[in-house]
Amino acid sequence: MNDVVEKETEHAIASAMKDIIVTVQELLKKPEGFPALILIYSALDIVGSLLRPKSQPDTSGQDFKNWVDHYVIKGSSLPITSDDLWAARCGLLHTNTPSSKNSRSSKAREVHYTKGDKKVAGFLQQEFQKAGNTKVVVDIDVLFDVFLDGLMRFTHDIKTDASSGTGPYTMPRRCLLTQPSSRLSKLH
């Protein structure tokens, strides 16, 4: 890929992530957590796709899990695995439930969410454990903060990778570029 296209692609990805982050921050000010979760999981999908091998044109659940293992789980206090988050992503995005194929087959635990008082997640987790339940409780704000921390480390790794010319990071050849309608109307 030539340098101009690569720079435009990097800019498009950075711009998309900034838009998602700003929007999630606004959504987290509201009591409902569902819209924020959709964007958090979408962002995890996007950045996970950048970690796939250059020889792999399509993304997979494993790409998501690899990114989550390296940039979300590692060093965080979240009581979850990448398998749990992948299953949670599938349940949330496909059916708006905590249940997914992987959680139903015991390959992952169901993830349930709280928002607000951070102590609630811990309390609910203890209650699930007392009842012998394997469900996991995650505070949405904490999940977002851990994602942001991971995104910062990932950005650093991409810059290091680009300067050294080594590493697995795959920049897509094409990116969805969005423009405000005010800019598009000036094209006529």
Side-chain angles (χ1 to χ4, degrees):
M1 192 169 12
N2 72 37
D3 289 342
V4 172
V5 172
E6 195 165 300
K7 288 291 180 200
E8 287 177 4
T9 300
E10 287 176 27
H11 177 72
I13 292 168
S15 178
M17 283 299 109
K18 180 181 175 199
D19 289 349
I20 289 171
I21 289 166
V22 168
T23 304
V24 171
Q25 288 170 331
E26 286 302 310
L27 290 170
L28 287 175
K29 292 176 184 175
K30 300 178 181 189
E32 304 82 19
F34 178 68
L37 280 171
I38 290 172
L39 286 177
I40 292 168
Y41 282 115
S42 296
L44 286 166
D45 267 339
I46 292 167
V47 293
S49 75
L50 300 177
L51 198 57
R52 72 188 188 277
K54 293 176 183 178
S55 62
Q56 179 185 322
D58 298 319
T59 60
S60 69
Q62 192 58 51
D63 299 319
F64 175 99
K65 292 177 200 177
N66 289 343
W67 199 92
V68 166
D69 278 334
H70 194 76
Y71 294 103
V72 174
I73 306 287
K74 189 176 180 181
S76 85
S77 62
L78 288 176
I80 53 176
T81 67
S82 59
D83 288 324
D84 296 335
L85 275 181
W86 175 253
R89 169 230 175 259
C90 292
L92 183 81
L93 296 179
H94 298 202
T95 63
N96 188 25
T97 68
S99 179
S100 69
K101 180 179 171 182
N102 286 350
S103 66
R104 288 188 301 275
S105 64
S106 299
K107 293 179 182 174
R109 298 171 294 171
E110 278 189 8
V111 178
H112 294 258
Y113 306 94
T114 63
K115 187 167 174 349
D117 186 348
K118 307 294 183 255
K119 295 176 187 171
V120 172
F123 172 78
L124 290 174
Q125 188 66 60
Q126 288 176 350
E127 292 300 308
F128 280 145
Q129 288 172 339
K130 285 180 192 174
N133 201 313
T134 63
K135 296 175 182 176
V136 180
V137 181
V138 173
D139 182 279
I140 297 170
D141 294 303
V142 172
L143 178 61
F144 182 61
D145 289 344
V146 169
F147 165 70
L148 285 179
D149 289 344
L151 189 58
M152 298 307 292
R153 288 192 315 277
F154 183 65
T155 302
H156 174 267
D157 288 354
I158 285 177
K159 288 179 182 179
T160 302
D161 175 53
S163 65
S164 69
T166 62
Y169 304 109
T170 303
M171 294 307 252
R173 290 198 173 95
R174 289 183 273 166
C175 264
L176 174 63
L177 300 175
T178 58
Q179 297 293 325
S181 58
S182 60
R183 285 190 67 193
L184 294 176
S185 64
K186 294 176 185 178
L187 296 175
H188 288 88

